[in-house]
């Protein structure tokens, strides 16, 4: 498995590229986009978070997928992904029901960017993970439970 | 301004896939240090990826994105040799920008 | 008589049946864990440490304003390829068996002019406080990726170190009666859901040693072999041995000798 | 009937492989064992509390198990077992079945008792039995280890006779009273668990209402 990883790194998708922009700061982040949605990230429950995101009560959709393992060996790093075949997706987000604040991350997708994103999140305990998607101006949702286990020597 | 990111960008059949690893503590603000004092929250709030002048992804993070964040996504367009630029900004006002050439 | 043995039989059958369902459940858990580990493997944050380590290796630092490029890790000055896979090793200039970390610290002192205290002050990272040693060792380790571990321990001092490591491996003490061997002396066991290699065999020791240094997701940083073994002793509820202590280098020599021939896959990523 | 014979055959194989494993092998460290003991002891800071140093001392059982790579000859093993059996103490109440709910908590806790400068436990932190690190117990806990045998349905299979209760208590108190050089800690001997805490673990194993037996 690790060998595979090295191969991917070294050959698969091309040589690993790293470049340090000496003059970092020339391009500033957050360019001309709406400010960080504090209300949504500060909200605690699922319902409050959805409200703060203007999503109300989204319909469950079979066309939205939450990807991730059924079991995470450690809650500090849990690989999760969101994908959907729905049309005209402008936003996707990842919510973790039992975290202190449900919203983990949200992504604005300009035209041409696929509604298929992978990242890694922290989970305080076993919880449902929700993928929220905005398609044609309407919100849709899907869920998956990920179990967080105790590992190692236990201390 | 943090440590450099590691960005991989590869184009296949007209679709560019970006995989980025970002060096950042992503401190939740919930953890206590050995002395029992709460360690203040410190995390990336916004991240953007651009192809030339065009934004291809704009992300907002909360503190429950993992330490040393990983992000993978795909967009139509881009060609071998084009530059992809990824920038982030955190809640302390720190920021960083790195770039990669599409393979 | 017949009744009794029938009852005994029924108990056995019941037990066997429950073992069967346990195995099915176990294999499903194993599949999901494999999925978890695979998802992490593409995008190992240790790569960030490797890049940083390379920068530190080349940077002129310390009172002598020198880089580490002339550091001799056992393959000659500046030769990094395969160096990690061939350590620990006896060094004539110090008359000591040294592991990658003690040798690196030696170079920081002799080439760059740092004191021992300065060089080892941040030998492991804390949240918000990076460790140069973690980054440098990740970089040095990666230069042995794909190469075979080669610690035959033929020099008398190396052979002695390996034997002393074997002694420490089996040495029990503390309020839990632990030794390394208790968790790492048998085939096919796990602690919670983590597989434990049998470190007394080439396969088991190889499986364990080939992926270090490794990014530990539970710790949010790369652990070096010194950190790994010192923490094993902490988990055994012993006090911590000192950084770079001979007992740690002895264990490393024993394990690397046993693992010799295994191909390195580093940096790794683990729970 | 045939099955019974087959099973008996299996047991014989297991037994003979055990005695085979007991064949004399060189003690770990060989001629460097004394040097190794010295460098080991010299590896620790001088300024730590005395109690930390005590944790590095070995009693006869520890020393013998090390010398024989956890596999002492049967005769020596029997001597160790006898000596360990003599250490077992019982709670003042004489009651060996405690509260399974308390036992369930102790079985899951793997922290407590860490010392040192890097990551010690806060003083007074509960020291758990950490049973799940090595054993399967309640069905709902999927993250269990396999260093020890599965103890699922322990009471359901073995019953709750006074003999079984005493056996479970004795085994947790001092595992080496039954199998010299087993991997299991001697929880009672070292005072890691109090006699009362051990009775809770016994109840977790044996009480019909405990999730170990119920599910």
């Amino acid at each position: 498995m690790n060998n595979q990883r090295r191969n991917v790194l070294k050959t698969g998708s091309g040589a690993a590229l790293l470049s340090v922009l000496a003059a970092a700061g020339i391009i500033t982040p957050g360019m001309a986009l709406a400010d960080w949605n504090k209300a949504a990230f500060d909200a605690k429950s699922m319902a409050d978070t959805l409200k703060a995101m203007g999503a109300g009560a989204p319909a469950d959709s079979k066309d939205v997928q939450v990807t991730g393992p059924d079991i995470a060996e450690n809650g500090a790093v849990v690989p999760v992904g969101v994908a959907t075949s729905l049309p005209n997706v402008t936003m996707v987000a990842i919510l973790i029901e039992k975290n202190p604040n449900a919203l983990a991350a949200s992504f604005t997708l300009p035209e041409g960017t696929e509604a298929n994103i992978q990242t890694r999140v922290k989970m305080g305990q076993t919880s449902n993970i929700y993928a929220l998607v905005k398609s044609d101006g309407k919100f849709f949702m899907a869920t998956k439970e990920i179990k967080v286990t105790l590992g190692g020597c236990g201390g | 301004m943090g440590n450099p990111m590691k960005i991989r960008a590869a184009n296949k059949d007209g679709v560019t896939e970006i995989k980025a690893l970002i060096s950042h503590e992503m401190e939740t603000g919930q953890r206590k240090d050995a002395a029992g004092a709460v360690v203040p929250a410190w995390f990336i709030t916004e991240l953007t990826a651009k192809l030339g002048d065009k934004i291809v992804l704009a992300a907002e993070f909360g503190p429950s994105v993992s330490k040393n964040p990983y992000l993978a996504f795909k967009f139509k367009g881009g060609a071998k040799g084009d530059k992809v630029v990824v920038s982030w900004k955190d809640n302390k006002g720190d920021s960083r920008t790195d770039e990669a050439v599409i393979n | 008589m017949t009744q009794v043995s029938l009852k005994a039989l029924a108990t056995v059958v019941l037990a066997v049946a429950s073992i069967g369902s346990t195995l099915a459940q176990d294999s499903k858990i194993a599949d999901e864990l494999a999925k978890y580990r695979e998802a992490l493997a593409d995008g190992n944050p240790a790569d960030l440490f490797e890049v940083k380590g390379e920068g530190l290796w080349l940077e002129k630092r310390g009172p002598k304003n020198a880089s580490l490029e002339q550091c001799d890790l056992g393959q000659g000055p500046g030769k990094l390829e395969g160096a990690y896979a061939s350590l620990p090793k006896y060094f004539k200039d110090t008359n000591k068996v040294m592991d990658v970390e003690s040798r690196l610290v030696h170079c920081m002192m002799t080439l760059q002019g740092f004191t021992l205290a300065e060089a080892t002050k941040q030998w492991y990272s804390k949240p918000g406080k990076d460790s140069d040693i973690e980054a440098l060792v990740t970089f040095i380790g990666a230069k042995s990726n794909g190469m075979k571990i080669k610690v035959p321990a033929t020099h008398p001092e190396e052979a002695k170190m390996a034997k002393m490591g074997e002694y420490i491996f089996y040495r029990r003490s503390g309020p839990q009666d632990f030794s390394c061997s208790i968790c790492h002396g048998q085939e096919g066991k796990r602690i919670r859901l983590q597989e434990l290699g049998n470190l007394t065999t080439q396969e088991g020791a190889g499986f364990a040693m080939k992926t270090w240094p490794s990014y530990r997701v539970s710790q949010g940083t790369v652990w070096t072999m010194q950190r790994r073994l010192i923490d094993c002793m902490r988990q055994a509820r012993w006090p911590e041995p000192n950084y770079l202590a001979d007992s740690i280098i002895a264990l490393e020599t024993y394990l690397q000798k046993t693992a010799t021939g295994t191909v390195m896959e580093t940096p790794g990523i683990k729970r | 009937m045939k099955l019974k014979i087959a099973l008996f055959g299996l047991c014989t194989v297991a037994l003979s492989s055990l005695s085979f494993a007991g064949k004399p092998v060189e003690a770990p460290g060989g001629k460097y064992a004394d040097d190794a003991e010295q460098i080991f002891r010299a590896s620790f800071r001088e300024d730590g509390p005395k109690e930390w140093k005590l944790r590095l001392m070995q009693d006869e059982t520890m020393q013998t198990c090390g010398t024989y790579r956890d596999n002492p000859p049967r005769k020596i093993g029997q001597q160790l077992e006898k000596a360990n059996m003599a250490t077992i103490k019982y709670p003042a109440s004489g009651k060996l079945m405690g509260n399974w709910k308390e036992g369930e908590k102790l079985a899951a806790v793997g922290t407590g008792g860490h010392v040192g400068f890097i990551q010690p436990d806060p003083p007074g932190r509960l020291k758990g039995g950490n049973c799940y690190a090595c054993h399967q117990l309640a069905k709902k806990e999927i993250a269990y280890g396999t260093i020890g045998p599965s103890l699922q349905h322990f009471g359901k299979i073995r019953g709750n006779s006074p003999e079984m209760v005493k056996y479970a208590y004795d085994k947790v108190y001092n595992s080496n009273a039954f199998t010299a050089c087993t991997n299991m800690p001697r929880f009672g001997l070292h005072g890691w668990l109090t006699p009362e805490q051990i009775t809770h673990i016994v109840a977790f194993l044996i009480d019909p209402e405990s999730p170990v037996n119920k599910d």
Side-chain angles (χ1 to χ4, degrees):
Chain A
M1 190 171 81
N2 210 272
N3 251 339
Q4 256 176 5
R5 182 186 73 81
R6 299 303 305 189
N7 288 342
V8 170
L9 266 180
K10 295 243 151 85
T11 57
S13 49
L17 280 169
L18 176 110
S19 148
V20 184
L21 271 195
I26 290 173
I27 308 154
T28 48
M31 292 148 279
L33 281 160
D35 279 339
W36 190 67
N37 190 345
K38 191 173 186 307
F41 281 103
D42 282 353
K44 294 197 167 19
S45 70
M46 282 287 297
D48 288 352
T49 310
L50 291 171
K51 205 171 139 193
M53 296 178 79
D60 287 338
S61 170
K62 278 188 187 131
D63 298 321
V64 179
Q65 282 93 42
V66 197
T67 55
D70 290 356
I71 299 168
E73 245 179 322
N74 190 270
V77 182
V78 183
V80 290
V82 182
T84 178
S85 54
L86 291 170
N88 303 320
V89 176
T90 52
M91 195 268 328
V92 301
I94 297 162
L95 292 86
I96 303 158
E97 188 173 17
K98 290 196 180 161
N99 272 9
N101 307 100
L103 182 58
S106 71
F107 304 89
T108 307
L109 310 182
E111 208 185 324
T113 297
E114 292 183 12
N116 181 355
I117 292 193
Q118 276 108 46
T119 186
R120 294 167 185 171
V121 296
K122 296 170 200 156
M123 293 177 68
Q125 56 182 306
T126 297
S127 171
N128 283 324
I129 301 250
Y130 289 88
L132 178 70
V133 163
K134 192 177 183 183
S135 157
D136 276 337
K138 277 185 271 183
F139 288 94
F140 300 92
M141 213 157 68
T143 184
K144 172 189 174 69
E145 188 193 53
I146 297 184
K147 284 194 173 73
V148 175
T149 60
L150 273 177
C153 316
Chain B
M1 55 168 237
N3 291 316
M5 297 177 221
K6 186 149 188 171
I7 305 162
R8 289 177 279 160
N11 187 289
K12 204 185 159 197
D13 304 328
V15 174
T16 299
E17 182 173 27
I18 305 288
K19 292 178 179 179
L21 269 170
I22 302 143
S23 180
H24 202 283
E25 279 301 322
M26 301 302 287
E27 191 65 64
T28 59
Q30 318 246 351
R31 199 174 58 85
K32 285 179 183 166
D33 66 14
V38 173
V39 181
W42 177 29
F43 57 95
I44 293 174
T45 49
E46 287 162 67
L47 176 145
T48 54
K50 290 174 93 176
L51 174 72
D53 289 337
K54 185 185 182 293
I55 291 175
V56 289
L57 187 77
E60 292 183 16
F61 286 176
S64 55
V65 169
S66 299
K67 179 174 176 177
N68 296 324
Y70 171 79
L71 189 60
F73 65 98
K74 292 174 185 171
F75 61 87
K76 283 197 191 78
K80 288 193 188 349
D82 286 355
K83 263 185 202 166
V84 173
V85 178
V86 179
S87 310
W88 57 255
K89 169 169 117 178
D90 69 21
N91 68 326
K92 287 187 183 173
D94 199 2
S95 68
R96 180 168 183 101
T97 298
D98 293 277
E99 60 175 41
V101 176
I102 299 173
N103 262 310
Chain C
M1 174 76 189
T2 329
Q3 253 184 348
V4 171
S5 60
L6 266 180
K7 199 180 162 193
L9 245 179
T11 313
V12 168
V13 169
L14 200 92
V16 169
S18 93
I19 288 168
S21 76
T22 298
L23 286 179
Q25 193 197 9
D26 271 5
S27 91
K28 194 176 168 276
I29 292 168
D31 287 351
E32 287 302 320
L33 281 183
K35 232 167 102 181
Y36 172 85
R37 290 166 191 165
E38 209 167 326
L40 293 186
D42 186 23
N44 182 350
D47 293 348
L48 297 166
F49 290 68
E50 185 184 333
V51 169
K52 192 183 166 198
E54 181 170 19
L56 287 166
W57 183 262
L58 300 170
E59 192 186 326
K60 289 191 167 86
R61 301 196 306 154
K64 292 189 183 173
N65 193 34
S67 78
L68 288 164
E69 286 165 287
Q70 287 307 303
C71 180
D72 180 359
L73 292 165
Q75 307 299 308
K79 281 193 77 176
L80 287 171
E81 271 70 25
Y84 185 99
S86 300
L87 289 167
K89 193 177 194 322
Y90 172 78
F91 286 85
K92 219 174 163 182
D93 57 2
T94 55
N95 189 27
K96 265 186 190 162
V97 176
M98 302 172 92
D99 68 349
V100 65
E101 290 169 72
S102 50
R103 192 63 189 176
L104 173 64
V105 167
H106 170 78
C107 287
M108 290 168 82
M109 291 166 68
T110 53
L111 297 175
Q112 299 183 310
F114 288 112
T115 65
L116 177 66
E118 284 165 353
T120 60
K121 185 169 181 269
Q122 199 75 46
W123 68 268
Y124 64 95
S125 62
K126 293 173 185 165
K129 272 191 182 173
D130 288 357
S131 159
D132 291 349
I133 286 184
E134 283 172 1
L136 281 162
V137 173
T138 310
F139 166 66
I140 296 165
K143 293 281 184 191
S144 283
N145 186 44
M147 296 185 185
K148 280 184 181 170
I149 296 172
K150 198 179 151 195
V151 181
T154 42
H155 188 281
E157 288 300 322
E158 294 164 356
K160 181 181 177 185
M161 218 46 167
K163 279 311 262 185
M164 292 198 292
E166 182 196 53
Y167 174 87
I168 295 166
F169 185 83
Y170 286 100
R171 188 190 188 281
R172 291 189 182 206
S173 70
Q176 296 260 278
D177 292 306
F178 282 147
S179 68
C180 307
S181 155
I182 283 186
C183 290
H184 295 287
Q186 305 161 84
E187 297 295 333
K189 304 288 184 186
R190 17 174 256 242
I191 190 158
R192 290 278 185 172
L193 291 176
Q194 278 68 49
E195 295 87 359
L196 301 158
N198 179 352
L199 302 185
T200 66
T201 66
Q202 189 212 18
E203 196 195 350
F207 187 78
M209 299 304 279
K210 69 182 178 185
T211 53
W212 295 92
S214 221
Y215 185 82
R216 293 206 55 204
V217 299
S218 61
Q219 312 295 322
T221 192
V222 165
W223 274 23
T224 64
M225 189 42 62
Q226 284 270 339
R227 179 83 207 265
R228 172 61 279 170
L229 291 173
I230 287 171
D231 195 70
C232 282
M233 297 198 181
R234 184 187 73 89
Q235 291 287 20
R237 268 61 173 192
W238 305 340
E240 293 133 2
N242 300 320
Y243 182 53
L244 310 181
D246 275 343
S247 59
I248 300 295
I249 296 172
L251 274 171
E252 288 174 341
T253 311
Y254 169 62
L255 295 171
Q256 285 282 79
K257 183 184 179 219
T258 313
T260 287
T262 310
V263 176
M264 294 285 294
E265 294 175 22
T266 181
I269 182 162
K270 293 176 190 293
R271 184 190 72 85
Chain D
M1 195 58 195
K2 255 185 188 166
L3 179 61
K4 211 175 148 193
I5 291 163
L7 278 172
F8 184 71
L10 262 176
C11 294
T12 320
V13 170
L15 272 176
S16 58
S17 73
L18 248 182
S19 54
F20 176 70
K23 77 179 188 317
V25 280
E26 185 201 35
K31 61 179 172 181
Y32 299 118
D34 290 345
D35 295 302
E37 181 65 25
Q38 265 181 32
I39 65 153
F40 181 77
R41 298 244 184 155
S43 294
F44 299 88
R45 270 165 71 162
E46 288 296 330
D47 58 350
K50 251 201 194 123
E51 191 266 334
W52 295 8
K53 281 253 157 105
L54 288 178
R55 295 183 177 211
L56 301 172
M57 308 292 260
Q58 294 181 290
D59 69 5
E60 197 196 346
T61 301
M62 293 163 170
Q63 228 166 29
T64 311
C65 294
T67 302
Y68 290 101
R69 300 173 190 248
D70 308 324
N71 252 321
R74 199 71 289 267
K75 219 177 143 185
I76 291 173
Q78 275 166 353
Q79 285 164 10
L80 289 180
E81 284 155 15
K82 214 178 139 195
N84 278 288
M85 187 61 92
T87 67
I88 298 175
K89 293 188 174 68
Y90 298 92
S93 68
K95 227 183 105 206
L96 300 187
M97 274 274 265
N99 178 345
W100 68 261
K101 285 179 184 163
E102 292 299 316
E104 184 178 33
K105 280 183 218 157
L106 287 166
V109 173
T111 51
H114 295 96
V115 296
F117 302 94
I118 301 174
Q119 232 179 314
D121 280 316
R125 186 170 186 179
L126 177 72
K127 294 197 292 260
N130 205 15
C131 311
Y132 282 108
C134 300
H135 296 285
Q136 181 180 28
L137 292 146
K139 197 179 172 190
K140 66 185 170 200
E141 179 54 88
I142 55 164
Y144 60 84
T146 59
I147 297 172
S150 169
L151 302 177
Q152 201 177 79
H153 299 158
F154 184 93
K156 206 173 173 177
I157 292 168
R158 295 170 184 80
N160 57 359
S161 65
E163 292 76 25
M164 191 48 67
V165 169
K166 182 177 180 299
Y167 165 72
Y169 180 93
D170 289 353
K171 178 87 184 182
V172 177
Y173 192 99
N174 191 334
S175 56
N176 278 255
F178 301 90
T179 314
C181 305
T182 170
N183 294 319
M184 184 168 161
R186 295 172 290 177
F187 290 100
L189 177 79
H190 293 295
W192 187 269
L193 297 173
T194 65
E196 281 68 30
Q197 285 175 318
I198 295 175
T199 67
H200 298 325
I201 288 175
V202 169
F204 181 52
L205 287 169
I206 292 182
D207 195 313
E209 290 305 308
S210 155
V212 168
N213 301 311
K214 192 109 178 154
D215 302 325

